[in-house]
Amino acid sequence: MTIQETLLEFQQVNYTYPGADKPALAGINLSIPTGKKCALIGKNGCGKTTLFLLANGLYKPRQGIISWRGKPLQYDRGFLMKLRQSIGLIFQNPEQQLVASTVEEDISYGLCNLGLPSDEIQQRVEQALIEFDLNELAERPVHHLSLGQKKRVSLADVMVLKPELLLLDEPTAYLDRPQTRNLIALLNKIHTSGTTILMATHDLDFVCSWADWVFVMDQGQLILEGKPEEVFVQRDLLDAIQLGVPLIYEILSSEAIEKNILEQFHQRLLNLFS
Ligand SMILES: Nc1ncnc2c1ncn2[C@@H]1O[C@H](COP(=O)(O)OP(=O)(O)O)[C@@H](O)[C@H]1O
Ligand SMILES: [Mg+2]
């Protein structure tokens, strides 16, 4: 048996925005297992984005402990800089991510902040331009890019730092189908090369075809987690928090669930996207 290692852990974490009357995170417990493709689902306002902002130390919990590889986070500059190398966060809106004038400069920004030697920076940027298919856009001003291209640049910005955990906040929002497929292919490549992924998303059909672990949040708490086929059969619970289930679970009857047909469907879906 292999021991499952936890990368990031939230223990009884509370966070209330200044001036708010109820907490955005209300004593949440959540552990991100190493090596998985995790999805974080929950209706608008349940605290997904807040969880991400706490995960990379942009916000500090009012109560509770957040640990990275078993060590509680510290909030000094040195610790946070290292943490943000290990945990890459892709914001929902790429405008929040992109800082420099050209694509190439943007990708090199984080590496320059780390004070790496210039030839290493150049080599890593060149590699990222190839990996994320951005070579032709290298000299382009970032604000002239399409949304899909901006998302690719944000991914390159973060991945060039070689994080162990990649957090993505609603990455498929506003992308069309080809752009989404393109993103999935990139994420699968990133995952295969050893990065753990946690993605917040509304797209349950996508979760069904992509994730191997699902966290369900409601009102600042984790209320359910498990493999997609374990989570999405909890129809009553998911209806009660107004989340619903993926289309395939809508269509298939409970009889099909009993007959394990869902598991076979899942495997076929996973094969389609791998
Ligand atoms: N900057 C903010 N100031 C005050 N309240 C906020 C702020 N951002 C989010 N909230 C509140 O915190 C809760 C959780 O929000 P959020 O983490 O953005 O949820 P999600 O990403 O799941 O939609 C919501 O009630 C939201 O209204
Ligand atoms: Mg959000």
Side-chain angles (χ1 to χ4, degrees):
M1 196 178 83
T2 54
I3 298 169
Q4 195 164 71
E5 205 184 329
T6 295
L7 278 183
L8 186 70
E9 184 172 18
F10 284 67
Q11 289 168 281
Q12 297 289 326
V13 170
N14 271 285
Y15 184 82
T16 306
Y17 284 96
D21 51 9
K22 69 178 180 54
L25 295 180
I28 192 165
N29 290 303
L30 186 150
S31 298
I32 302 173
T34 310
K36 291 239 188 276
K37 291 193 276 188
C38 310
L40 178 63
I41 58 174
K43 69 174 183 207
N44 254 335
C46 72
K48 303 181 294 297
T49 298
T50 308
L51 183 98
F52 282 178
L53 297 174
L54 280 145
N56 87 341
L58 277 166
Y59 295 162
K60 211 171 157 176
R62 304 279 187 248
Q63 277 168 7
I65 298 171
I66 304 174
S67 315
W68 171 251
R69 291 191 169 281
K71 295 206 183 85
L73 302 197
Q74 293 163 39
Y75 293 86
D76 58 278
R77 226 178 98 84
F79 186 94
L80 288 179
M81 198 154 152
K82 276 214 188 101
L83 182 77
R84 287 172 193 157
Q85 249 181 287
S86 307
I87 305 179
L89 170 59
I90 310 281
F91 291 90
Q92 178 170 8
N93 177 359
E95 306 293 341
Q96 281 179 278
Q97 196 102 42
L98 308 175
V99 285
S101 49
T102 69
V103 169
E104 196 165 14
E105 279 172 28
D106 211 80
I107 299 173
S108 63
Y109 184 82
L111 296 169
C112 293
N113 273 348
L114 290 180
L116 294 176
S118 59
D119 48 350
E120 183 176 348
I121 295 180
Q122 199 185 341
Q123 187 244 320
R124 276 165 76 165
V125 171
E126 278 170 14
Q127 198 188 338
L129 287 169
I130 296 168
E131 262 173 47
F132 293 90
D133 196 18
L134 291 165
N135 248 333
E136 283 175 20
L137 304 175
E139 308 291 321
R140 287 261 202 104
V142 283
H143 51 274
H144 287 178
L145 304 178
S146 73
L147 182 70
Q149 290 168 334
K150 281 180 182 164
K151 292 227 172 188
R152 264 202 343 261
V153 177
S154 359
L155 207 49
D157 284 356
V158 165
M159 289 313 297
V160 79
L161 301 175
K162 304 186 175 160
E164 290 169 78
L165 172 64
L166 176 63
L167 306 174
L168 299 120
D169 200 355
E170 316 245 4
T172 58
Y174 316 115
L175 294 185
D176 59 25
R177 265 182 92 91
Q179 286 173 325
T180 302
R181 285 196 89 100
N182 193 325
L183 181 76
I184 296 169
L186 276 177
L187 293 182
N188 284 342
K189 212 162 84 180
I190 288 169
H191 177 255
T192 308
S193 69
T195 308
T196 303
I197 303 181
L198 175 67
M199 175 194 298
T201 179
H202 273 114
D203 188 343
L204 300 187
D205 296 325
F206 171 69
V207 172
C208 215
S209 61
W210 177 80
D212 49 26
W213 196 255
V214 182
F215 295 106
V216 185
M217 276 181 76
D218 190 48
Q219 299 190 39
Q221 294 186 330
L222 181 72
I223 57 157
L224 182 64
E225 70 175 300
K227 293 178 191 163
E229 63 271 25
E230 293 162 355
V231 165
F232 292 125
V233 291
Q234 310 256 4
R235 172 107 204 209
D236 291 346
L237 180 64
L238 297 171
D239 278 345
I241 61 164
Q242 297 163 326
L243 200 63
V245 294
L247 191 59
I248 192 146
Y249 287 79
E250 278 304 343
I251 295 167
L252 291 170
S253 66
S254 52
E255 201 183 322
I257 292 170
E258 275 161 25
K259 284 187 185 152
N260 261 348
I261 290 175
L262 274 172
E263 215 161 290
Q264 293 170 33
F265 261 102
H266 247 117
Q267 205 45 55
R268 285 175 72 175
L269 272 171
L270 287 173
N271 292 344
L272 261 180
F273 284 96
S274 61

